Amino acid sequence: MKNIKKINKKKEIKLTAKEKKKIKKEKKNYKNKNSVIIEALKIVQEERNWISDEIIIAISKEIGVSYNDIEEIATFYSQIFRKPVGKHIIKFCDSVVCYINGYKNIQKKIEYHLKIKPGNTTKDNLFTLLPICCLGNCNFSPTIMIDKDIYGPVSTNSIIQILDKYL
């Protein structure tokens, strides 16, 4: 558990009017304050790309839920980013089907081309590479997802052309 007093000594970060408005609108859909936590995290992450400790404090104040309750949820869900990520998130499916169809070669090509390993971000902060257990696109495996775009089947030849679309 993080020491909230230490976090509070850092510069306080406030939610934007846009973030507050979206969270307030979302809160109306839930009877319980805790139920809006995931949606609030998603709203803020959409604007800022990741969730810092200071942002958790701001969300806590906005929805009236403890820091620890929000922190538990933020660290549990893999799609809530707790450290800075690149402008574009590349998720490569590492399921059994994608494994059989050669995702490892795709992964190696991406790593070589971008000079990063899974879990890391390129030096220019353009791409973050993340494994994901399934993208639900097995009939077109191996599959990758960049931001909200799904590609498959991808090959070592097509992956560079796909990445170039995001430069």
Side-chain angles (χ1 to χ4, degrees):
M1 202 172 312
K2 298 195 186 225
N3 185 335
I4 297 174
K5 288 180 184 178
K6 277 186 180 180
I7 295 168
N8 278 330
K9 287 182 182 178
K10 294 180 183 179
K11 182 182 173 198
E12 182 179 2
I13 295 177
K14 297 184 186 257
L15 297 176
T16 65
K18 182 179 178 182
E19 291 166 335
K20 286 181 179 184
K21 183 179 178 182
K22 285 182 175 181
I23 291 170
K24 188 175 185 176
K25 182 180 177 187
E26 198 61 44
K27 278 172 64 173
K28 292 177 183 176
N29 296 325
Y30 300 94
K31 291 180 182 177
N32 182 318
K33 288 188 251 181
N34 283 11
S35 300
V36 78
I37 293 173
I38 293 173
E39 292 306 316
L41 288 165
K42 287 169 43 180
I43 287 166
V44 175
Q45 181 170 282
E46 185 176 309
E47 296 295 321
R48 298 170 189 255
N49 234 15
W50 69 290
I51 302 294
S52 68
D53 294 336
E54 295 79 14
I55 282 297
I56 289 181
I57 291 170
I59 293 170
S60 171
K61 290 176 182 176
E62 183 64 27
I63 63 176
V65 174
S66 78
Y67 173 93
N68 289 334
D69 286 346
I70 298 172
E71 170 73 7
E72 285 175 1
I73 290 172
T75 55
F76 177 78
Y77 289 100
S78 64
Q79 299 309 303
I80 300 297
F81 305 122
R82 292 291 284 125
K83 65 181 187 174
V85 293
K87 180 179 178 184
H88 301 291
I89 308 297
I90 303 168
K91 298 173 187 166
F92 64 90
C93 182
D94 62 1
S95 71
V96 172
V97 175
C98 284
Y99 177 80
I100 291 169
N101 288 307
Y103 93 81
K104 277 289 195 189
N105 293 328
I106 306 304
Q107 176 189 344
K108 287 177 187 175
K109 184 80 169 195
I110 294 169
E111 288 177 9
Y112 177 79
H113 185 70
L114 298 178
K115 297 174 179 43
I116 58 171
K117 294 286 183 190
N120 293 332
T121 299
T122 56
K123 289 181 181 180
D124 62 4
N125 292 317
L126 193 56
F127 295 104
T128 297
L129 180 61
L130 300 173
I132 190 162
C133 63
C134 185
L135 287 168
N137 200 35
C138 298
N139 54 330
F140 296 106
S141 68
T143 298
I144 66 164
M145 181 179 208
I146 302 177
D147 302 330
K148 295 180 181 179
D149 304 322
I150 295 180
Y151 299 94
V154 291
S155 68
T156 54
N157 294 329
S158 67
I159 193 64
I160 303 306
Q161 293 169 333
I162 294 168
L163 292 173
D164 285 349
K165 293 178 184 180
Y166 296 87
L167 294 176

